[in-house]
Amino acid sequence: MNTKRIAKFAHRLSKPYRVTDGKKFRLKDIDPGDTGDLKTEDKPRAKEALHNGIEALSELQDMLYAQDRWSVLLIFQAMDAAGKDGTIKHVMSGVNPQGCEVTSFKVPSSEDLDHDYLWRCMKCLPERGRIGIFNRSYYEETLVVRVHPEFLAGQKLPPECVTKDIWDDRFRDIRNFERYLMNNGTLVRKFFLHVSPEEQKKRFMERLDNPDKNWKFSANDIKERGFWKDYMHAYEQTIRETATKDSPWYVVPADNKWFTRAVVSAAIIDALSSLNLRYPEVSSDKKQDLAAARKTLLADT
């Protein structure tokens, strides 16, 4: 497998969806049904590319683990039924479980609310040599908390801290936090899986009609769907304010799962390839130890 060739293809595939400067970003410019240069008839080819990408990702992750210098944080945000879980499952299927951990963030606990809003995510950051995946993250603090002000009221903040500038303050906090992570060897990549309301409705109906998928459905999903425009505004501003060169957002069209997974895989491969990963060099003393071990094993009959 030619990992370098796959990395070049991954860069080309993912680049159109990368946002590094949010000043000109508008969510309306991204079509949730977009499949780039690929058409429906190219779906088998895209799946083959995903398969090759999974193999390349496995090789890169192995070097990341062996080198033990960098860590990688992948953040996934999306509306319900956009495909976060399935994307994580398929894209990371070839990664060694020892070098990867997925953390899903639900409603904050009472312990979480007794700390600053970054606390529960900070304690789950990946170690060097590992990939950490956040299924939702501290970005909920500029998304769902913004859409539902009652959640902010439940965070027990001193009144002096809840000002008209609180969202700008949080955007600045997050930018600084992600810069801090990068300065300490943690590469951050953020994904917004952009699904259309029509496709979300279709997937909700599938969950209702298929008994095997009933467990995925929650009445709260319908409630949150009613805040669609508010969420789109919150997502757009969040991306505009927190997309940077070092910690970019990928706004990935999510109406076609096969394309979503191909783009996410490509973006992760592109990120890992940028780290100039390689296996550690063996010292001369270590080589002597290896030679002695080989001699001992050959002599063992």
Side-chain angles (χ1 to χ4, degrees):
M1 180 182 59
N2 191 326
T3 301
K4 289 185 178 180
R5 179 178 60 81
I6 292 175
K8 289 182 179 179
F9 172 78
H11 178 75
R12 291 196 304 270
L13 178 60
S14 61
K15 185 178 179 180
Y17 307 101
R18 184 173 69 228
V19 183
T20 58
D21 183 352
K23 292 179 181 178
K24 296 182 180 180
F25 174 73
R26 291 293 183 275
L27 195 54
K28 66 180 182 180
D29 295 335
I30 306 296
D31 177 8
D34 180 33
T35 55
D37 295 330
L38 303 176
K39 307 302 178 186
T40 302
E41 56 267 26
D42 296 317
K43 186 175 178 178
R45 187 159 63 92
K47 287 188 175 182
E48 181 182 357
L50 175 60
H51 175 73
N52 292 335
I54 289 172
E55 290 188 11
L57 182 57
S58 176
E59 181 179 321
L60 290 166
Q61 184 264 335
D62 194 51
M63 286 189 282
L64 176 78
Y65 187 82
Q67 187 172 296
D68 198 28
R69 288 291 185 269
W70 288 94
S71 59
V72 177
L73 175 61
L74 308 175
I75 295 174
F76 288 85
Q77 296 285 160
M79 296 293 286
D80 295 315
K84 294 194 312 304
D85 293 352
T87 297
I88 293 169
K89 175 183 176 181
H90 282 79
V91 172
M92 307 304 292
S93 60
V95 172
N96 185 340
Q98 285 186 307
C100 180
E101 184 174 3
V102 180
T103 305
S104 296
F105 293 96
K106 306 294 185 180
V107 177
S109 67
S110 58
E111 182 182 19
D112 294 333
L113 294 174
D114 274 333
H115 292 82
D116 63 274
Y117 72 87
L118 288 173
W119 177 78
R120 66 174 181 157
C121 294
M122 289 177 66
K123 63 180 183 176
C124 298
L125 290 171
E127 302 173 32
R128 297 195 190 283
R130 290 165 171 78
I131 297 174
I133 299 174
F134 284 0
N135 187 343
R136 301 193 189 279
S137 67
Y138 46 82
Y139 278 105
E140 293 294 283
E141 297 297 328
T142 64
L143 297 167
V144 65
V145 175
R146 188 167 191 179
V147 172
H148 296 287
E150 64 272 20
F151 293 162
L152 181 62
Q155 293 186 350
K156 300 188 289 186
L157 288 168
E160 295 83 357
C161 295
V162 184
T163 70
K164 62 181 179 61
D165 298 321
I166 188 170
W167 306 117
D168 289 335
D169 290 341
R170 289 193 171 186
F171 291 141
R172 184 173 60 252
D173 290 342
I174 290 172
R175 289 194 302 269
N176 290 338
F177 175 60
E178 291 176 349
R179 185 181 301 113
Y180 167 83
L181 291 178
M182 183 64 184
N183 290 342
N184 285 274
T186 297
L187 191 73
V188 181
R189 293 294 184 268
K190 303 165 293 194
F191 299 89
F192 170 49
L193 306 190
H194 185 29
V195 70
S196 68
E198 295 79 15
E199 180 63 21
Q200 187 197 54
K201 179 181 178 180
K202 176 183 174 182
R203 294 179 187 179
F204 279 168
M205 291 302 298
E206 289 175 353
R207 293 180 180 182
L208 290 170
D209 293 339
N210 187 342
D212 292 338
K213 292 186 177 182
N214 286 170
W215 65 274
K216 289 186 175 183
F217 188 81
S218 168
N220 191 60
D221 294 342
I222 300 299
K223 176 184 175 183
E224 291 303 287
R225 179 176 165 83
F227 295 93
W228 190 276
K229 289 184 178 180
D230 295 328
Y231 273 111
M232 293 303 101
H233 172 73
Y235 268 111
E236 180 175 275
Q237 187 165 12
T238 291
I239 293 168
R240 283 172 57 85
E241 295 290 340
T242 60
T244 66
K245 182 179 179 180
D246 288 334
S247 301
W249 276 96
Y250 285 85
V251 182
V252 186
D255 278 7
N256 297 282
K257 294 179 180 179
W258 59 271
F259 185 71
T260 305
R261 293 164 184 172
V263 172
V264 170
S265 174
I268 298 172
I269 290 169
D270 190 37
L272 288 172
S273 298
S274 72
L275 298 179
N276 193 29
L277 299 171
R278 56 171 56 91
Y279 289 107
E281 293 185 9
V282 178
S283 66
S284 57
D285 289 343
K286 181 67 174 179
K287 288 180 180 179
Q288 290 180 8
D289 291 341
L290 294 175
R294 177 185 293 274
K295 184 176 180 180
T296 300
L297 287 172
L298 290 174
D300 186 8
T301 56

